[in-house]
Amino acid sequence: MCLAVPMEVKSIDGQVAEVEVGGVKNQVRLDIIDEQPKIGDYVIVHAGFAIRKLDKDEALETLKLFEKGLGVELT
């Protein structure tokens, strides 16, 4: 089973974005995403790729569910 995580886009350089959640930053590829994100947008990240853009409310709601279920702070 795999887990995809909503992360906020902090910067974009070509087809690579720096994303962050809970103070953890990663670089992800934007090659397969459904809609090109902008800085400040949230994306679902799986296996190093942004796979879908989310609206901010949906992303924060999902992160709160992760926080509750995993007992970690992400927002």
Side-chain angles (χ1 to χ4, degrees):
M1 184 166 137
C2 298
L3 183 64
V5 179
M7 300 183 84
E8 183 179 4
V9 176
K10 295 297 189 175
S11 66
I12 299 172
D13 183 15
Q15 287 297 311
V16 177
E18 182 176 271
V19 294
E20 179 181 11
V21 67
V24 175
K25 294 181 180 181
N26 286 311
Q27 289 190 338
V28 298
R29 297 290 308 180
L30 300 174
D31 303 296
I32 63 172
I33 193 161
D34 60 343
E35 180 183 345
Q36 198 67 15
K38 299 180 297 251
I39 294 171
D41 285 342
Y42 281 80
V43 295
I44 293 282
V45 174
H46 175 69
F49 287 88
I51 58 175
R52 187 167 78 97
K53 187 174 152 186
L54 293 174
D55 97 346
K56 185 175 181 175
D57 292 336
E58 183 181 4
L60 294 175
E61 182 179 328
T62 300
L63 289 171
K64 287 184 190 293
L65 290 172
F66 283 160
E67 288 177 334
K68 187 174 181 181
L70 300 173
V72 297
E73 188 173 328
L74 300 172
T75 55

Coordinates of all heavy atoms in Angstrom, one line a residue:
M1 N 0.8 -1.2 0.0 CA 0.0 0.0 0.0 C 0.9 1.2 0.0 O 1.9 1.3 0.7 CB -0.9 0.0 1.2 CG -1.8 1.1 1.3 SD -3.1 0.8 2.6 CE -3.2 2.3 3.3
C2 N 0.5 2.2 -0.8 CA 1.3 3.5 -0.9 C 0.5 4.6 -0.3 O -0.8 4.6 -0.3 CB 1.6 3.7 -2.3 SG 2.6 2.5 -3.1
L3 N 1.2 5.6 0.1 CA 0.5 6.8 0.6 C 1.0 8.0 -0.2 O 2.2 8.3 -0.4 CB 1.0 7.0 2.1 CG 0.3 8.1 2.9 CD1 -1.2 7.9 3.0 CD2 1.0 8.2 4.3
A4 N 0.0 8.8 -0.6 CA 0.3 10.1 -1.3 C 0.0 11.2 -0.4 O -1.0 11.2 0.4 CB -0.5 10.2 -2.6
V5 N 0.9 12.2 -0.3 CA 0.8 13.2 0.7 C 0.6 14.6 0.0 O 1.3 15.0 -0.9 CB 2.2 13.3 1.5 CG1 2.1 14.4 2.5 CG2 2.4 11.9 2.1
P6 N -0.3 15.4 0.6 CA -0.5 16.8 0.1 C 0.7 17.6 0.6 O 1.1 17.6 1.7 CB -1.7 17.3 0.7 CG -2.4 16.1 1.2 CD -1.4 15.1 1.5
M7 N 1.4 18.4 -0.4 CA 2.5 19.2 0.0 C 2.3 20.6 -0.7 O 1.8 20.7 -1.8 CB 3.8 18.6 -0.4 CG 4.0 17.2 0.3 SD 5.6 16.5 -0.1 CE 6.6 17.3 1.1
E8 N 2.8 21.6 -0.1 CA 2.8 23.0 -0.6 C 3.9 23.3 -1.5 O 5.1 23.0 -1.2 CB 2.7 24.0 0.5 CG 2.5 25.4 0.0 CD 2.5 26.4 1.1 OE1 2.6 26.1 2.3 OE2 2.3 27.6 0.8
V9 N 3.7 23.8 -2.7 CA 4.7 24.2 -3.6 C 5.4 25.5 -3.1 O 4.8 26.5 -3.0 CB 4.2 24.4 -5.0 CG1 5.2 24.9 -6.0 CG2 3.5 23.1 -5.5
K10 N 6.7 25.4 -2.9 CA 7.5 26.5 -2.5 C 8.3 27.2 -3.6 O 8.5 28.4 -3.5 CB 8.5 26.1 -1.4 CG 7.8 25.6 -0.1 CD 7.0 26.7 0.5 CE 6.5 26.4 1.9 NZ 5.8 27.5 2.5
S11 N 8.7 26.5 -4.6 CA 9.4 27.0 -5.7 C 9.3 26.1 -6.9 O 9.0 24.9 -6.7 CB 10.9 27.3 -5.4 OG 11.6 26.2 -5.2
I12 N 9.5 26.6 -8.1 CA 9.4 25.8 -9.3 C 10.6 26.2 -10.2 O 10.8 27.4 -10.4 CB 8.1 26.0 -10.1 CG1 6.9 25.6 -9.2 CG2 8.1 25.3 -11.4 CD1 5.5 26.0 -9.7
D13 N 11.3 25.2 -10.7 CA 12.4 25.4 -11.7 C 12.2 24.4 -12.8 O 12.5 23.2 -12.7 CB 13.7 25.2 -11.0 CG 14.9 25.5 -11.9 OD1 14.7 26.1 -13.0 OD2 16.0 25.1 -11.6
G14 N 11.6 24.9 -13.9 CA 11.3 24.0 -15.0 C 10.2 22.9 -14.6 O 9.1 23.3 -14.2
Q15 N 10.6 21.7 -14.7 CA 9.7 20.6 -14.3 C 10.0 20.0 -12.9 O 9.6 18.9 -12.6 CB 9.8 19.4 -15.4 CG 9.1 19.8 -16.7 CD 7.6 20.0 -16.5 OE1 6.9 19.2 -15.9 NE2 7.1 21.1 -17.0
V16 N 10.7 20.8 -12.1 CA 11.0 20.3 -10.7 C 10.5 21.4 -9.8 O 10.7 22.6 -10.0 CB 12.5 20.2 -10.5 CG1 12.8 19.8 -9.1 CG2 13.1 19.1 -11.5
A17 N 9.7 20.9 -8.8 CA 9.2 21.8 -7.7 C 9.8 21.5 -6.4 O 10.0 20.3 -6.1 CB 7.7 21.8 -7.7
E18 N 10.1 22.5 -5.6 CA 10.4 22.2 -4.2 C 9.1 22.3 -3.4 O 8.3 23.3 -3.5 CB 11.4 23.2 -3.6 CG 11.7 22.9 -2.2 CD 12.8 23.8 -1.6 OE1 14.0 23.5 -1.7 OE2 12.4 24.9 -1.0
V19 N 8.7 21.3 -2.6 CA 7.5 21.2 -1.9 C 7.8 21.0 -0.4 O 8.9 20.5 -0.1 CB 6.6 20.1 -2.4 CG1 6.1 20.4 -3.9 CG2 7.3 18.7 -2.4
E20 N 6.8 21.3 0.4 CA 7.0 21.2 1.9 C 5.8 20.8 2.6 O 4.7 21.2 2.2 CB 7.5 22.6 2.4 CG 7.8 22.5 3.9 CD 8.2 23.9 4.5 OE1 8.1 24.9 3.7 OE2 8.6 23.9 5.6
V21 N 5.9 20.0 3.6 CA 4.9 19.7 4.5 C 5.5 19.4 5.9 O 6.5 18.7 6.0 CB 4.0 18.5 4.1 CG1 4.7 17.2 4.1 CG2 2.7 18.4 5.0
G22 N 5.0 20.0 7.0 CA 5.5 19.7 8.3 C 6.9 20.0 8.5 O 7.6 19.4 9.3
G23 N 7.4 21.0 7.8 CA 8.8 21.4 7.9 C 9.8 20.5 7.0 O 11.0 20.8 7.0
V24 N 9.3 19.5 6.4 CA 10.1 18.6 5.5 C 10.0 19.1 4.1 O 8.9 19.3 3.6 CB 9.6 17.2 5.6 CG1 10.4 16.3 4.7 CG2 9.8 16.7 7.1
K25 N 11.1 19.4 3.4 CA 11.1 19.8 2.0 C 11.6 18.7 1.1 O 12.5 18.0 1.5 CB 12.0 21.0 1.9 CG 11.5 22.3 2.6 CD 12.4 23.5 2.4 CE 11.8 24.7 3.1 NZ 12.6 25.8 3.0
N26 N 11.1 18.6 0.0 CA 11.5 17.6 -1.0 C 11.4 18.3 -2.4 O 10.7 19.3 -2.6 CB 10.6 16.4 -1.1 CG 10.8 15.5 0.1 OD1 11.9 15.2 0.4 ND2 9.7 15.1 0.8
Q27 N 12.1 17.7 -3.3 CA 12.0 18.1 -4.7 C 11.2 17.0 -5.4 O 11.4 15.8 -5.2 CB 13.3 18.2 -5.4 CG 14.1 19.5 -4.9 CD 15.3 19.8 -5.7 OE1 15.9 18.9 -6.4 NE2 15.8 21.0 -5.7
V28 N 10.2 17.4 -6.3 CA 9.4 16.5 -7.0 C 9.3 16.9 -8.4 O 9.5 18.1 -8.8 CB 7.9 16.4 -6.4 CG1 8.0 15.9 -4.9 CG2 7.2 17.8 -6.5
R29 N 9.1 15.9 -9.3 CA 8.9 16.2 -10.7 C 7.5 16.6 -11.0 O 6.5 16.1 -10.3 CB 9.2 14.9 -11.5 CG 10.7 14.4 -11.4 CD 11.6 15.3 -12.0 NE 11.3 15.5 -13.4 CZ 12.0 16.2 -14.3 NH1 13.1 16.8 -13.9 NH2 11.6 16.4 -15.5
L30 N 7.3 17.4 -12.0 CA 6.0 17.9 -12.4 C 5.6 17.3 -13.8 O 4.6 17.8 -14.4 CB 6.0 19.4 -12.5 CG 6.3 20.2 -11.2 CD1 6.4 21.7 -11.5 CD2 5.3 19.9 -10.2
D31 N 6.2 16.3 -14.3 CA 6.0 15.8 -15.6 C 4.6 15.2 -15.8 O 4.1 15.2 -16.9 CB 7.0 14.7 -15.9 CG 8.5 15.2 -15.8 OD1 8.8 16.1 -16.6 OD2 9.2 14.7 -15.0
I32 N 4.0 14.6 -14.8 CA 2.7 13.9 -15.0 C 1.5 14.5 -14.3 O 0.5 14.0 -14.3 CB 2.9 12.4 -14.5 CG1 3.2 12.3 -13.0 CG2 4.0 11.7 -15.3 CD1 3.1 10.9 -12.5
I33 N 1.7 15.7 -13.7 CA 0.6 16.3 -13.0 C -0.5 16.7 -13.9 O -0.3 17.1 -15.1 CB 1.1 17.5 -12.1 CG1 0.1 18.0 -11.1 CG2 1.6 18.7 -13.0 CD1 0.6 18.8 -10.0
D34 N -1.7 16.7 -13.4 CA -2.9 17.0 -14.2 C -3.0 18.5 -14.6 O -3.5 18.8 -15.6 CB -4.2 16.6 -13.5 CG -4.4 17.2 -12.1 OD1 -3.4 17.8 -11.6 OD2 -5.5 17.1 -11.6
E35 N -2.6 19.4 -13.7 CA -2.7 20.8 -13.9 C -1.4 21.5 -13.3 O -1.1 21.2 -12.2 CB -3.9 21.4 -13.2 CG -4.1 22.8 -13.4 CD -5.4 23.3 -12.6 OE1 -6.2 22.5 -12.2 OE2 -5.5 24.5 -12.4
Q36 N -0.7 22.3 -14.1 CA 0.5 22.9 -13.7 C 0.3 23.8 -12.4 O -0.5 24.7 -12.5 CB 1.1 23.7 -14.8 CG 2.6 24.0 -14.6 CD 3.5 22.8 -14.7 OE1 3.1 21.7 -15.2 NE2 4.7 22.9 -14.3
P37 N 1.0 23.5 -11.3 CA 0.8 24.3 -10.1 C 1.6 25.6 -10.2 O 2.5 25.8 -11.0 CB 1.4 23.4 -9.0 CG 2.4 22.6 -9.7 CD 1.9 22.4 -11.1
K38 N 1.2 26.5 -9.3 CA 2.0 27.7 -9.0 C 2.5 27.7 -7.6 O 2.0 26.9 -6.8 CB 1.0 28.9 -9.2 CG 0.4 29.1 -10.6 CD -0.5 30.3 -10.7 CE -1.6 30.2 -9.8 NZ -2.9 29.9 -10.2
I39 N 3.4 28.6 -7.3 CA 3.9 28.7 -5.9 C 2.8 29.0 -5.0 O 1.9 29.8 -5.3 CB 5.0 29.8 -5.8 CG1 6.2 29.3 -6.7 CG2 5.4 30.0 -4.4 CD1 7.3 30.4 -6.9
G40 N 2.7 28.3 -3.9 CA 1.6 28.4 -2.9 C 0.5 27.4 -3.1 O -0.3 27.2 -2.2
D41 N 0.4 26.7 -4.3 CA -0.5 25.7 -4.5 C -0.2 24.4 -3.7 O 1.0 24.2 -3.3 CB -0.6 25.3 -6.0 CG -1.4 26.4 -6.8 OD1 -2.1 27.2 -6.2 OD2 -1.2 26.3 -8.0
Y42 N -1.1 23.6 -3.5 CA -0.9 22.2 -2.9 C -1.0 21.2 -4.0 O -1.9 21.3 -4.9 CB -1.9 22.0 -1.8 CG -1.5 22.7 -0.5 CD1 -1.9 24.0 -0.3 CD2 -0.9 22.0 0.5 CE1 -1.5 24.7 0.8 CE2 -0.5 22.7 1.7 CZ -0.9 24.0 1.8 OH -0.6 24.7 3.0
V43 N -0.1 20.2 -3.9 CA -0.2 19.1 -4.8 C -0.1 17.8 -4.0 O 0.4 17.7 -2.9 CB 1.0 19.1 -5.8 CG1 0.9 20.3 -6.7 CG2 2.4 19.1 -5.1
I44 N -0.6 16.7 -4.6 CA -0.5 15.4 -4.0 C 0.8 14.8 -4.6 O 1.0 14.8 -5.8 CB -1.7 14.4 -4.5 CG1 -3.0 14.9 -3.9 CG2 -1.4 13.0 -4.1 CD1 -3.2 14.5 -2.4
V45 N 1.7 14.3 -3.7 CA 3.0 13.8 -4.0 C 3.0 12.3 -3.8 O 2.7 11.9 -2.7 CB 4.1 14.5 -3.3 CG1 5.4 13.9 -3.5 CG2 4.1 16.0 -3.6
H46 N 3.5 11.6 -4.8 CA 3.7 10.2 -4.6 C 4.9 9.7 -5.4 O 5.1 10.0 -6.6 CB 2.5 9.4 -5.2 CG 2.6 7.9 -5.2 ND1 2.7 7.2 -4.0 CD2 2.8 7.0 -6.2 CE1 2.9 5.9 -4.3 NE2 2.9 5.8 -5.6
A47 N 5.8 9.1 -4.7 CA 7.0 8.5 -5.3 C 7.8 9.5 -6.1 O 8.3 9.2 -7.2 CB 6.6 7.3 -6.2
G48 N 7.9 10.7 -5.6 CA 8.8 11.7 -6.2 C 8.1 12.5 -7.3 O 8.7 13.3 -8.0
F49 N 6.8 12.3 -7.5 CA 6.1 13.0 -8.6 C 4.9 13.7 -8.0 O 4.2 13.1 -7.1 CB 5.6 12.1 -9.7 CG 6.7 11.5 -10.6 CD1 7.4 10.4 -10.2 CD2 7.0 12.2 -11.7 CE1 8.4 9.9 -11.0 CE2 8.0 11.7 -12.6 CZ 8.7 10.6 -12.2
A50 N 4.6 14.9 -8.4 CA 3.3 15.6 -8.1 C 2.3 15.0 -9.1 O 2.6 15.0 -10.3 CB 3.5 17.1 -8.3
I51 N 1.2 14.5 -8.6 CA 0.3 13.8 -9.5 C -1.0 14.5 -9.6 O -1.8 14.2 -10.5 CB 0.1 12.3 -9.0 CG1 -0.5 12.2 -7.6 CG2 1.3 11.5 -9.2 CD1 -0.8 10.8 -7.1
R52 N -1.3 15.4 -8.7 CA -2.6 16.1 -8.8 C -2.5 17.4 -8.0 O -2.0 17.4 -6.9 CB -3.8 15.3 -8.3 CG -5.1 15.9 -8.5 CD -6.3 14.9 -8.3 NE -6.5 14.7 -6.9 CZ -7.5 15.3 -6.2 NH1 -8.3 16.2 -6.8 NH2 -7.7 15.1 -5.0
K53 N -3.1 18.5 -8.5 CA -3.2 19.7 -7.8 C -4.5 19.7 -7.0 O -5.5 19.2 -7.4 CB -3.3 20.9 -8.8 CG -3.2 22.2 -8.2 CD -3.2 23.3 -9.3 CE -3.8 24.6 -8.9 NZ -3.9 25.5 -9.9
L54 N -4.4 20.2 -5.7 CA -5.5 20.3 -4.8 C -5.8 21.7 -4.5 O -4.9 22.5 -4.5 CB -5.1 19.6 -3.5 CG -4.9 18.1 -3.4 CD1 -4.4 17.7 -2.0 CD2 -6.2 17.4 -3.8
D55 N -7.1 21.9 -4.1 CA -7.3 23.3 -3.6 C -6.9 23.3 -2.1 O -6.8 22.2 -1.5 CB -8.8 23.7 -3.8 CG -9.8 23.5 -2.7 OD1 -9.4 22.8 -1.7 OD2 -10.8 24.0 -2.8
K56 N -6.5 24.5 -1.6 CA -5.9 24.6 -0.3 C -6.8 24.0 0.8 O -6.3 23.3 1.7 CB -5.6 26.1 0.0 CG -4.9 26.3 1.3 CD -4.5 27.7 1.5 CE -3.7 27.9 2.7 NZ -3.2 29.3 2.9
D57 N -8.1 24.2 0.8 CA -9.0 23.7 1.8 C -9.0 22.2 1.8 O -8.9 21.6 2.9 CB -10.4 24.2 1.6 CG -10.5 25.7 1.9 OD1 -9.7 26.3 2.6 OD2 -11.5 26.3 1.4
E58 N -9.0 21.6 0.7 CA -9.0 20.1 0.6 C -7.6 19.6 1.1 O -7.6 18.6 1.8 CB -9.2 19.7 -0.9 CG -9.2 18.2 -1.1 CD -9.4 17.8 -2.5 OE1 -9.5 18.6 -3.4 OE2 -9.5 16.6 -2.8
A59 N -6.5 20.2 0.7 CA -5.2 19.8 1.2 C -5.1 19.9 2.7 O -4.6 18.9 3.4 CB -4.1 20.6 0.5
L60 N -5.5 21.0 3.3 CA -5.4 21.2 4.7 C -6.3 20.2 5.5 O -6.0 19.7 6.5 CB -5.7 22.6 5.1 CG -4.7 23.6 4.6 CD1 -5.2 25.0 5.0 CD2 -3.3 23.4 5.2
E61 N -7.5 19.9 4.9 CA -8.4 18.9 5.5 C -7.8 17.5 5.5 O -7.8 16.8 6.5 CB -9.7 18.9 4.8 CG -10.7 17.9 5.4 CD -12.1 17.9 4.6 OE1 -12.4 19.0 4.1 OE2 -12.7 16.9 4.6
T62 N -7.1 17.2 4.4 CA -6.4 15.9 4.3 C -5.3 15.8 5.3 O -5.1 14.8 6.0 CB -5.9 15.7 2.9 OG1 -7.1 15.7 2.0 CG2 -5.2 14.3 2.8
L63 N -4.5 16.9 5.4 CA -3.4 16.9 6.4 C -3.9 16.8 7.8 O -3.2 16.1 8.6 CB -2.5 18.2 6.2 CG -1.7 18.2 4.9 CD1 -1.1 19.6 4.7 CD2 -0.7 17.1 4.9
K64 N -5.0 17.4 8.1 CA -5.6 17.2 9.5 C -5.9 15.8 9.8 O -5.8 15.3 10.9 CB -6.7 18.2 9.7 CG -6.3 19.6 9.8 CD -7.5 20.5 10.1 CE -7.1 22.0 10.0 NZ -6.2 22.5 11.0
L65 N -6.5 15.1 8.8 CA -6.8 13.7 9.0 C -5.5 12.8 9.2 O -5.5 11.9 10.0 CB -7.6 13.1 7.7 CG -9.0 13.6 7.5 CD1 -9.5 13.2 6.2 CD2 -9.9 13.2 8.7
F66 N -4.5 13.1 8.4 CA -3.2 12.5 8.7 C -2.7 12.7 10.1 O -2.2 11.8 10.8 CB -2.1 12.9 7.7 CG -2.3 12.3 6.3 CD1 -1.7 13.0 5.2 CD2 -3.0 11.2 6.0 CE1 -1.7 12.4 3.9 CE2 -3.1 10.7 4.8 CZ -2.5 11.3 3.7
E67 N -2.8 14.0 10.5 CA -2.3 14.4 11.9 C -3.1 13.6 12.9 O -2.5 13.0 13.9 CB -2.5 15.9 12.1 CG -1.6 16.7 11.3 CD -1.8 18.2 11.5 OE1 -3.0 18.6 11.8 OE2 -0.9 19.0 11.4
K68 N -4.4 13.5 12.8 CA -5.2 12.8 13.8 C -4.9 11.3 13.8 O -4.7 10.7 14.8 CB -6.7 13.0 13.4 CG -7.6 12.5 14.5 CD -9.0 12.9 14.1 CE -10.0 12.3 15.2 NZ -11.4 12.7 14.9
G69 N -4.8 10.7 12.6 CA -4.6 9.3 12.5 C -3.1 8.8 12.8 O -2.9 7.8 13.4
L70 N -2.2 9.7 12.5 CA -0.8 9.3 12.8 C -0.2 10.0 14.0 O 0.9 9.6 14.4 CB 0.1 9.7 11.6 CG -0.3 9.1 10.2 CD1 0.5 9.7 9.1 CD2 -0.1 7.6 10.3
G71 N -0.9 10.9 14.6 CA -0.4 11.6 15.8 C 0.9 12.4 15.5 O 1.7 12.5 16.4
V72 N 0.9 13.1 14.4 CA 2.0 13.9 14.0 C 1.5 15.3 13.6 O 0.3 15.5 13.3 CB 2.8 13.4 12.8 CG1 3.5 12.1 13.2 CG2 2.0 13.2 11.6
E73 N 2.4 16.3 13.7 CA 2.0 17.7 13.3 C 2.5 18.0 11.9 O 3.7 18.0 11.6 CB 2.5 18.7 14.3 CG 1.9 20.1 14.1 CD 2.3 21.1 15.2 OE1 2.5 20.6 16.3 OE2 2.5 22.2 14.8
L74 N 1.6 18.3 11.0 CA 1.9 18.6 9.6 C 1.6 20.0 9.1 O 2.0 20.4 8.1 CB 1.3 17.5 8.7 CG 1.6 16.1 8.9 CD1 0.8 15.2 8.1 CD2 3.1 15.9 8.6
T75 N 0.7 20.6 9.8 CA 0.2 22.0 9.4 C 0.8 23.1 10.3 O 1.2 22.8 11.3 CB -1.3 22.1 9.3 OG1 -1.8 21.7 10.6 CG2 -1.9 21.2 8.3

